[in-house]
Amino acid sequence: MTAAREERLPLDAASVDNARTTLLQLLARAGVFSGDAEELMGLVEAGALAAAHRELAGTGREAPPGSGEAYATGWRDGSRAVAEGLAGLADRALRTAVAAGPGGEQDARPPVGRMEIERARVAVVPLYLSFSEESELDPEVTEQVLVAVLATMDARERAAYPGTLTAFAAGHRGRLERLYAAYGPGGPVAIHGRYTLVHSPTGLAVLERLAARPGELRAEWDAAELPPAWLDGLTRAWDDGA
């Protein structure tokens, strides 16, 4: 046995279960419901498997330098099989995690859950702060806006929404910088009125949905009985920044 093999210590099932149980108990003491905690851990597990798949599907398929052609071919075939297996495990873990949320896997668009709202909030605030100063709305209004945004997505899309928001902010940085300079905190437009949401981190999430699914967002907006002027103001500001 080589020294490298001797140093490897893969976690056994009992140790993994112990870590999971410990984390669940710590989160419960902090007031996190067990279902929410399970969902978060499931998403982390799915993400770890997806990351392993990406790594193995890339440079992991290359055979060690100096390998013969027959060995290299077998190496690539074996790596491909393992990578496909990891992709399947990642997808299964994601389906299990999102099915644990409210509504279950059978619903195309289940009711928006508390943890989905919190994940969206955690994602959007630092992105907003990269464009503007923080100026939060009332927490209840913030939740209502995020519910309307998330209701336009299915459970898998909600799980991936932080990445969607990050890509949106990066892909439209110049336009967003112009928008926040003209309508955001410190700009010439007052916070109150139709441009109120430009002064809130949730406005960035609304802008992403306006660009991606404007009709569905308006339907959910009306269903939530949110002020139409807020959405109209963001639409005007977004168009002006083009």
Side-chain angles (χ1 to χ4, degrees):
M1 181 179 294
T2 65
R5 287 182 179 271
E6 290 176 351
E7 291 173 0
R8 293 176 184 171
L9 184 62
L11 288 176
D12 56 85
S15 298
V16 172
D17 184 64
N18 173 269
R20 175 183 288 272
T21 301
T22 301
L23 182 55
L24 282 173
Q25 291 180 359
L26 289 172
L27 289 172
R29 293 176 197 169
V32 179
F33 296 141
S34 60
D36 292 337
E38 288 281 4
E39 182 182 353
L40 285 174
M41 286 192 290
L43 291 174
V44 171
E45 179 184 355
L49 289 168
H53 165 255
R54 286 191 297 271
E55 182 173 349
L56 190 58
T59 57
R61 289 190 180 180
E62 299 299 323
S67 302
E69 182 58 32
Y71 184 91
T73 299
W75 181 283
R76 287 191 294 270
D77 290 343
S79 294
R80 185 180 303 109
V82 173
E84 290 173 354
L86 280 173
L89 288 172
D91 186 68
R92 192 183 315 158
L94 177 57
R95 283 189 278 112
T96 300
V98 299
E105 185 179 21
Q106 69 276 12
D107 290 342
R109 291 184 182 174
V112 177
R114 186 184 72 158
M115 194 54 62
E116 291 172 326
I117 297 170
E118 191 58 33
R119 292 204 310 269
R121 195 196 316 267
V122 168
V124 76
V125 168
L127 290 172
Y128 171 82
L129 291 177
S130 70
F131 295 103
S132 185
E133 300 174 1
E134 185 171 6
S135 182
E136 286 276 9
L137 282 180
D138 179 85
E140 183 178 351
V141 174
T142 297
E143 181 169 323
Q144 291 173 343
V145 170
L146 290 178
V147 167
V149 165
L150 293 168
T152 66
M153 312 171 213
D154 62 29
R156 292 170 70 96
E157 290 171 323
R158 294 172 195 170
Y161 192 52
T164 301
L165 271 174
T166 300
F168 170 77
H172 299 278
R173 175 155 290 276
R175 189 173 180 179
L176 288 166
E177 287 174 345
R178 291 191 295 273
L179 182 153
Y180 283 107
Y183 295 94
V189 179
I191 183 173
H192 299 294
R194 66 188 305 179
Y195 300 111
T196 294
L197 280 185
V198 184
H199 296 249
S200 166
T202 58
L204 186 59
V206 177
L207 285 168
E208 187 281 326
R209 289 290 91 183
L210 276 174
R213 294 180 184 171
E216 295 177 33
L217 176 63
R218 288 188 179 278
E220 296 296 341
W221 199 267
D222 291 342
E225 299 183 345
L226 289 163
W230 289 358
L231 198 55
D232 293 340
L234 274 179
T235 302
R236 171 66 182 274
W238 181 245
D239 291 342
D240 285 351

